[in-house]
Amino acid sequence: TSLSWIAEPAPAGKSLRYDVSRLDPESLRLGPTCDAAARLAGTFIGNGLTGTSMQDADIPTPGGIFCYVARSRNGCGGAPFC
């Protein structure tokens, strides 16, 4: 699966990195809030990426799907998974 997202504007003098989490859609039924999705069933598949795209080699089971969430972070830490 090819993933890509739109770059967020970086604060002056800071570079951004991105973290990507793959989620089980069943866990989202429990109440999708910012960090709840990552805590419930997130599998980090990308950490500290400098670009805005990546590949996920895993394949969902027949009839299944994966959901993905990307967040940006700088030297001060990461944003919530919103």
Side-chain angles (χ1 to χ4, degrees):
T1 303
S2 295
L3 307 171
S4 64
W5 52 93
I6 297 170
E8 185 174 348
K14 303 282 184 186
S15 62
L16 293 179
R17 297 193 181 270
Y18 298 92
D19 301 326
V20 179
S21 184
R22 182 178 59 226
L23 310 173
D24 171 6
E26 289 297 315
S27 67
L28 298 177
R29 293 180 192 205
L30 300 175
T33 60
C34 288
D35 276 323
R39 283 195 310 270
L40 290 171
T43 300
F44 284 98
I45 60 170
N47 188 25
L49 303 172
T50 57
T52 57
S53 64
M54 65 169 292
Q55 298 288 318
D56 182 9
D58 287 349
I59 299 171
T61 58
I65 63 169
F66 289 144
C67 298
Y68 297 91
V69 179
R71 73 172 176 184
S72 63
R73 63 181 167 93
N74 60 27
C76 297
F81 273 100
C82 290

